[in-house]
Amino acid sequence: MVDGILADLGVSSRQIDSPKRGFSTRFEGPLDMRMDQSAKLTAARILNEYSESELHKIFGMYGELKNAKTAAKLVAAQRKMNPLATTMDLKAALQKVAPRGKENKYFAQVFQALRLEVNEEMKALEDFLHQSGELLETGGRLVIMS
C-alpha cells in the first residue's frame, strides 16, 4: 500500500517533434502515432480500415469534433480513391471542413483522437485508476497531471 501516487499523462515533445512518428500536425510523416513501436495498430490502419461509424465515434469522443460525422465521411471517401498514408494526406482530406482560422486546433483534435485510439490510452487510464484505488492507503492522495 502507498500514501501517494503521481501520474503525468502528458505526451513527450520528443515524440511529437519527430516527423517519423506521425504525431505532429506540423510535419510530413507516416500516420503511425504508436507510443510502443512494436504495437500493430497504427493511425493509418484506423483511418483506412475502421468503418465510417467507428471513425465518427473516435473523432467525436476522443477528438470532440463538432463535425465528427462529416470528418468520418470525408476520410471514408478519400480512402476509396487513395489510402491515407501520411499526416499531410489526412490534413488534405479534412482541410475543407477545418474551421477557418482554427485549423491548427482542429487538426490537433483529430490527431489527439487517433493517438488515443492507437495507444488505447483510455483503457490504460481506466486500468490505472482501478489499480490506484487498490494500492492507495485510506486517506492517500492521487494526483494526475495532464
Side-chain angles (χ1 to χ4, degrees):
M1 299 295 276
V2 297
D3 292 322
I5 298 173
L6 173 63
D8 180 355
L9 305 183
V11 179
S12 166
S13 62
R14 224 180 48 243
Q15 290 169 324
I16 290 176
D17 291 339
S18 174
K20 66 182 178 188
R21 300 294 297 277
F23 288 106
S24 178
T25 61
R26 295 179 296 152
F27 307 115
E28 173 88 27
L31 283 165
D32 190 326
M33 299 190 193
R34 293 174 297 168
M35 298 287 188
D36 174 0
Q37 294 288 271
S38 68
K40 296 206 185 320
L41 186 61
T42 65
R45 280 193 55 202
I46 290 168
L47 292 165
N48 291 305
E49 297 175 13
Y50 276 29
S51 70
E52 189 176 314
S53 63
E54 289 172 309
L55 291 172
H56 173 209
K57 181 179 171 186
I58 291 165
F59 291 153
M61 273 186 14
Y62 296 158
E64 299 177 3
L65 297 182
K66 290 180 174 61
N67 63 355
K69 190 170 190 172
T70 303
K73 185 180 293 278
L74 281 173
V75 167
Q78 177 61 41
R79 71 186 183 196
K80 285 180 185 172
M81 295 183 287
N82 289 309
L84 296 151
T86 70
T87 55
M88 296 305 154
D89 291 345
L90 175 57
K91 287 178 69 175
L94 296 177
Q95 187 65 49
K96 67 182 180 184
V97 295
R100 290 263 143 87
K102 297 183 179 177
E103 294 91 349
N104 290 340
K105 181 179 184 212
Y106 182 79
F107 291 123
Q109 289 173 272
V110 170
F111 279 51
Q112 171 184 286
L114 291 167
R115 191 198 78 231
L116 287 169
E117 180 70 12
V118 166
N119 297 293
E120 299 178 318
E121 291 179 42
M122 297 311 281
K123 177 164 182 1
L125 180 58
E126 184 179 329
D127 292 347
F128 166 75
L129 291 172
H130 285 295
Q131 293 168 10
S132 295
E134 295 170 7
L135 290 174
L136 275 175
E137 289 282 358
T138 302
R141 306 279 173 155
L142 171 61
V143 177
I144 299 177
M145 297 183 298
S146 173

